[in-house]
Amino acid sequence: MQELGKQIIFVGGKGGVGKSTSAAAIAWKSAKAGEKTLLVSTDPAHNLGDIFSQSIGGQTIKLTENLFALEIDSEIETKKYINSVKENIKGTVNTRMMEEVHRQLDTAKASPGADEAALFDKLISVILEEREHFDKLVFDTAPTGHTIRLLSLPELMGVWIEGLLKRRKKTNDNYTQLLNDGEPIEDPIYDVLKERKDRFHKAREVLLDHDRTGFIFVLNAERLPILETRKAIELLDKYHLHVKTLIVNKLLPDDVDGKFLQQRKAYESQYVEMIEDTFKHQELIYVPLFAQDITSEEQLEWISTYYL
Ligand SMILES: Nc1ncnc2c1ncn2[C@@H]1O[C@H](COP(=O)(O)OP(=O)(O)OP(=O)(O)O)[C@@H](O)[C@H]1O
Ligand SMILES: [Mg+2]
């Protein structure tokens, strides 16, 4: 099945190549076709709002008929996340310890990686919960490296939690034998970890389901984006996430006038050839460079006509 027809689409690529524009145009097109569509930005530097000339925030809003948008705010999500962890461990440690645990959690909130963990948790809830309310989810992601980390996290976190669970089970088993006359002891932390593991597992299943989920990369006909895209595709392949469609964006129109632009166009053709050689297994969609930035629904409509 064609990637654009899939229920969940991730749009990735290097900074500035046109990810947000492409994600918006894909979502626009599917909404126009009558599918209830949610466009989600996971990029900390959002610009979906600019494209639709209205501010989008941490709450899902309706943009037009069938088209909804959400920008995940990692700062707010971090706060929510820490609070939920506090809530989760309530009753599992005594009051004296609680104060210390809270202090530690508040420190964790400011530590590197906290934003990413929170963003990731929110991403998983959007994938698991929102897909039931929408026909289509389109994710506008952050530049390549960040996205790859995000997409590979279900696997990494799964393995990590698995380890924690095993260790916890062993300790519990020992306690059970020693202190509880063989009666299993209840362990709320084990349950919390187990639930998270199950969620990661479910999210991974969705990400790996080729019939439902597609990965599209956007690139420009320039050397560095080509090399970076190739590296990213290889890396994602290792996690069994296969990029099957590339949008080659901002191509100079065929009828450019002036010597300078014609020379530029000749260069570009070489890079288009390089793209065709490098990405033999991907479907390639070509989108021209427009004279203006893409900031209106009419322009999204133009762009989306290039997606077959
Ligand atoms: N085909 C096009 N023709 C003309 N302008 C374009 C085209 N595609 C994108 N643009 C413009 O290029 C700029 C960058 O596009 P966009 O914001 O979609 O890139 P991005 O990959 O999301 O960037 P970032 O990595 O910063 O999130 C925007 O101003 C957008 O309007
Ligand atoms: Mg963007």
Side-chain angles (χ1 to χ4, degrees), residues 20 43 47 140:
S20 301
D43 185 350
N47 56 2
D140 167 25

Side-chain angles (χ1 to χ4, degrees), residues 50-53 293-302:
D50 299 340
I51 298 174
F52 292 98
S53 322
D293 274 2
I294 311 301
T295 53
S296 71
E297 293 177 355
E298 194 190 15
Q299 288 164 321
L300 285 181
E301 178 74 34
W302 287 346

Side-chain angles (χ1 to χ4, degrees), residues 38-41 46 48 54-63 68-73 76-77 80 122 126 130 134:
L38 178 62
L39 174 58
V40 188
S41 172
H46 304 287
L48 288 183
Q54 62 178 287
S55 76
I56 300 168
Q59 300 292 331
T60 302
I61 61 158
K62 183 170 179 173
L63 293 174
F68 297 78
L70 166 69
E71 285 180 343
I72 300 177
D73 184 321
I76 294 175
E77 293 308 324
K80 277 206 239 163
K122 177 70 182 177
V126 173
E130 295 296 351
F134 290 91

